[in-house]
Amino acid sequence: MDISIVINGETVTRDVEPRTLLVHFIRDTPGLTGTHWGCDTSNCGACVVLMDGKPLKSCTALAAMAVGHEIATVESLEKDGELDPIQQGFHECHALQCGFCTPGMLMTTRALLNENPDPTEDEIRVAISGAICRCTGYKNIVAATRWAAEHQEVSR
């Protein structure tokens, strides 16, 4: 079936099998390999993208379900060479180690900050509770999210 999905503001049209998962549609698009495919069970959260601004584990949705929606991947965060505050926060607070969960964590925390620009530590922990990080212990991810909240530009 032919489908068109708006990903990071660009319409991507491809012929796919009806059972194609959104994560595969995204990763098979040239240059969009930042969304990681991890556990195959929707437990890890490495595949989180934003659909209409809300976090979605892209391994739980068929690509066809994204038709008519706007998808944002981790590649959408950096604009004109400038890191998104959440990316900068992850850098400043050493919130990544192996990097596997990082794209999903970035998208999850970006969605949180879009919804709640000044979350508490508990609100951050609830927001990221659907993602697994095996390296950091989450402390630095929480710190990075707080850093980003304190350094967001009004325009974001």
Side-chain angles (χ1 to χ4, degrees):
M1 67 189 294
D2 270 337
I3 62 172
S4 294
I5 302 174
V6 177
I7 303 175
N8 301 334
E10 308 259 335
T11 301
V12 178
T13 302
R14 281 211 334 262
D15 183 35
V16 297
E17 291 187 34
R19 64 185 174 155
T20 301
L21 293 174
L22 181 58
V23 66
H24 297 302
F25 186 93
I26 291 167
R27 287 188 58 81
D28 291 345
T29 300
L32 295 179
T33 57
T35 301
H36 291 166
W37 178 40
C39 63
D40 239 357
T41 60
S42 80
N43 288 319
C44 75
C47 67
V48 170
V49 297
L50 302 186
M51 184 160 82
D52 299 331
K54 303 290 182 195
L56 170 73
K57 291 180 179 179
S58 60
C59 74
T60 65
L62 297 173
M65 296 167 67
V67 172
H69 298 280
E70 298 223 3
I71 303 298
T73 70
V74 70
E75 289 91 353
S76 72
L77 293 178
E78 176 267 330
K79 292 189 179 20
D80 299 323
E82 186 175 326
L83 295 179
D84 182 277
I86 194 63
Q87 291 173 303
Q88 190 65 40
F90 268 58
H91 172 75
E92 296 293 333
C93 298
H94 310 286
L96 56 100
Q97 288 182 22
C98 81
F100 194 78
C101 73
T102 304
M105 287 289 190
L106 287 169
M107 297 310 288
T108 299
T109 53
R110 169 47 44 215
L112 171 64
L113 293 174
N114 289 347
E115 189 80 18
N116 177 359
D118 191 28
T120 65
E121 180 177 330
D122 286 342
E123 290 168 327
I124 296 166
R125 288 185 181 279
V126 167
I128 64 173
S129 66
I132 296 172
C133 176
R134 300 190 194 291
C135 299
T136 68
Y138 305 97
K139 180 181 178 195
N140 291 355
I141 294 169
V142 173
T145 306
R146 285 297 315 140
W147 187 97
E150 294 165 7
H151 292 87
Q152 289 194 91
E153 297 171 5
V154 177
S155 64
R156 281 219 183 246

